[in-house]
Amino acid sequence: MHKRLFIPGPVDVLPEVLDKMTTPMIGHRTKDISALQERISEKLKRVMRTNNTILLSSSSGSGLMEGAVRCFTQERAAVFSVGAFGDRWYKMCTANSVPADLFRSDPGEPTTPEMVRQALATGKYDMITITQNETSTGIRNPMREIHEVLSDYPDVILCVDAVSSMGGDDIPVDELGIDVCITSTQKCLGLPPGMSVASVSDRAIKKAERIPNRGLYFDYVELYKFVKEKPYQYPSTPSIPHMFALDYQLDRILKEGLAARYERHLALSSLVWEWGKKNCALFSNPTYLSVTVTCLKNTFGMDFSKINAAMGQRGFQLSNGYGALKDITFRIAHMADMTVEEMKNMLKNLDEVITELKNGD
Ligand SMILES: Cc1ncc(COP(=O)(O)O)c(C=O)c1O
């Protein structure tokens, strides 16, 4: 039996979107692929609310994150981490010999504008990374306030991880001054894993051109040049099945409307927050809750894997806590094409399962 996924990616993909992946192949050096890529770029610009250049990568988002620290750090990177994925960005710096410092918040707390201001005041950093939406704790960082701080540091490049939020949350890339904004297909965009997207500003590319040792496969300059000079093509062979599905799914997303899509994600998250407050407790600071994934405290006095196994028998899969938060917390994702009715039905089943397990049924 397929379990309905309430995990923070990969998400369930609509059958009609999956079908598009079986479209017969076309060559990756053809006019048809350029037209497909151009259509995708124009639609992604609308979803990401940016005039920056769109780059696709036939890798998951981590590839573009690793490429970003190599390509855009000339002096030193300030990595702001609110959990596992911020920490991983720092590991990418050290693994690539990119000079970097890690600024960690307590688990469940955001990156504050004050933290960013203090770090930048040292004058040591020419690039910073922010996790807009941290999947391990369900924290949504205050991007507008952080952007305000950055307006005093116009030479600093801002790289943002929107892997688990773009397409669900309200993230106006240009208004927020984001130079490099990265997302993956398997989360709020509602596609299978295996492709990722970055929007990149011209000023970030100009800077990267002066930086040596950017790598090759994830070299933003190389990707950018190809997209510009070979109209909408890539240095290597892209995942053409993903591109067919993305082209179709972006039409669906734009038809729903960005505001309506955000409202739906907010409605889904509100249901989970209410359920969490009533039945256990929210793990993270309530002022900064993600609208795409919620991290809850496991106060039920039993391993979460037991609850998840019982939910599995009813056809639902939730997520245990991530890393050190395993079993202390669990996560419910509310992403992509999920409906309010589906969420209400899952929460009803969760109530029943917990009651049954507590009664030893
Ligand atoms: C916030 C965040 N950043 C980065 C990643 C890594 O993305 P990918 O698995 O697409 O490489 C994930 C994956 O779950 C994530 O949730």
Side-chain angles (χ1 to χ4, degrees):
M1 173 179 51
H2 173 69
K3 291 179 199 151
R4 193 90 182 114
L5 299 177
F6 289 79
I7 61 173
V11 295
D12 277 310
V13 180
L14 294 173
E16 62 199 276
V17 178
L18 278 177
D19 274 356
K20 294 290 167 194
M21 296 193 80
T22 62
T23 308
M25 286 308 105
I26 55 177
H28 70 300
R29 297 281 173 244
T30 58
K31 285 203 173 78
D32 287 346
I33 197 92
S34 293
L36 175 62
Q37 164 66 21
E38 186 172 5
R39 280 203 304 279
I40 291 172
S41 290
E42 289 311 312
K43 290 177 217 175
L44 276 170
K45 281 186 189 176
R46 288 171 62 195
V47 170
M48 299 176 84
R49 288 149 75 191
T50 183
N51 287 317
N52 288 340
T53 301
I54 301 292
L55 304 175
L56 301 182
S57 173
S58 295
S59 68
S60 72
S62 302
L64 285 174
M65 288 170 69
E66 186 157 346
V69 295
R70 292 184 72 127
C71 291
F72 303 113
T73 314
Q74 196 161 27
E75 306 290 330
R76 199 170 185 85
V79 176
F80 293 89
S81 172
V82 289
F85 293 100
D87 289 357
R88 198 188 293 177
W89 224 342
Y90 179 68
K91 280 187 203 147
M92 289 169 178
C93 293
T94 52
N96 284 283
S97 304
V98 170
D101 292 313
L102 178 63
F103 298 88
R104 266 182 129 165
S105 303
D106 288 338
E109 294 297 331
T111 297
T112 63
E114 294 71 35
M115 288 169 74
V116 178
R117 190 176 291 287
Q118 262 186 18
L120 292 183
T122 63
K124 287 203 283 190
Y125 306 105
D126 63 331
M127 110 80 137
I128 75 167
T129 72
I130 301 280
T131 312
Q132 188 268 343
N133 192 76
E134 172 57 59
T135 318
S136 61
T137 56
I139 276 283
R140 175 187 199 255
N141 267 319
M143 294 307 298
R144 281 191 192 277
E145 290 81 345
I146 291 170
H147 169 54
E148 267 172 41
V149 174
L150 278 158
S151 58
D152 293 336
Y153 298 92
D155 295 334
V156 173
I157 297 292
L158 171 61
C159 293
V160 169
D161 171 351
V163 165
S164 58
S165 47
M166 184 57 77
D169 198 350
D170 175 34
I171 312 170
V173 166
D174 287 356
E175 258 176 57
L176 297 172
I178 303 174
D179 289 291
V180 182
C181 188
I182 298 167
T183 194
S184 302
T185 47
Q186 75 275 15
K187 313 261 187 191
C188 300
L189 292 175
L191 293 150
M195 185 164 255
S196 51
V197 176
S199 66
V200 63
S201 66
D202 287 349
R203 72 179 202 127
I205 292 292
K206 280 210 179 68
K207 178 181 174 181
E209 282 169 349
R210 301 194 301 269
I211 297 175
N213 302 323
R214 298 185 303 263
L216 188 66
Y217 191 68
F218 295 113
D219 177 9
Y220 278 70
V221 177
E222 181 84 350
L223 292 167
Y224 180 94
K225 270 197 195 147
F226 254 80
V227 164
K228 296 283 181 195
E229 290 167 14
K230 306 255 175 198
Y232 295 102
Q233 293 187 10
Y234 284 98
S236 48
T237 321
S239 174
I240 299 169
H242 276 93
M243 291 171 73
F244 287 132
L246 187 55
D247 187 34
Y248 178 82
Q249 174 70 344
L250 287 168
D251 281 337
R252 287 192 63 265
I253 290 173
L254 291 168
K255 191 166 172 214
E256 179 179 9
L258 297 182
R261 202 166 166 87
Y262 169 68
E263 287 302 325
R264 180 168 56 76
H265 279 78
L266 195 58
L268 290 165
S269 52
S270 302
L271 283 173
V272 178
W273 301 339
E274 288 318 307
W275 184 91
K277 283 184 214 158
K278 195 167 142 218
N279 294 284
C280 47
L282 302 179
F283 176 75
S284 292
N285 185 330
T287 310
Y288 300 98
L289 293 180
S290 159
V291 297
T292 64
V293 55
T294 300
C295 183
L296 300 141
K297 287 187 186 163
N298 177 6
T299 58
F300 302 113
M302 60 185 113
D303 279 357
F304 181 71
S305 50
K306 212 170 161 187
I307 298 174
N308 219 6
M311 284 298 280
Q313 283 174 1
R314 291 172 178 237
F316 303 97
Q317 188 178 354
L318 314 186
S319 207
N320 205 327
Y322 193 98
L325 297 175
K326 188 166 182 246
D327 281 326
I328 312 168
T329 66
F330 64 105
R331 292 168 300 157
I332 300 178
H334 16 90
M335 290 180 175
D337 294 301
M338 192 180 285
T339 65
V340 164
E341 282 318 306
E342 279 171 320
M343 180 57 85
K344 284 184 178 163
N345 182 34
M346 188 282 285
L347 292 174
K348 182 173 137 299
N349 277 274
L350 187 54
D351 276 333
E352 288 169 7
V353 158
I354 290 169
T355 307
E356 278 172 21
L357 289 173
K358 277 189 176 159
N359 293 340
D361 294 351

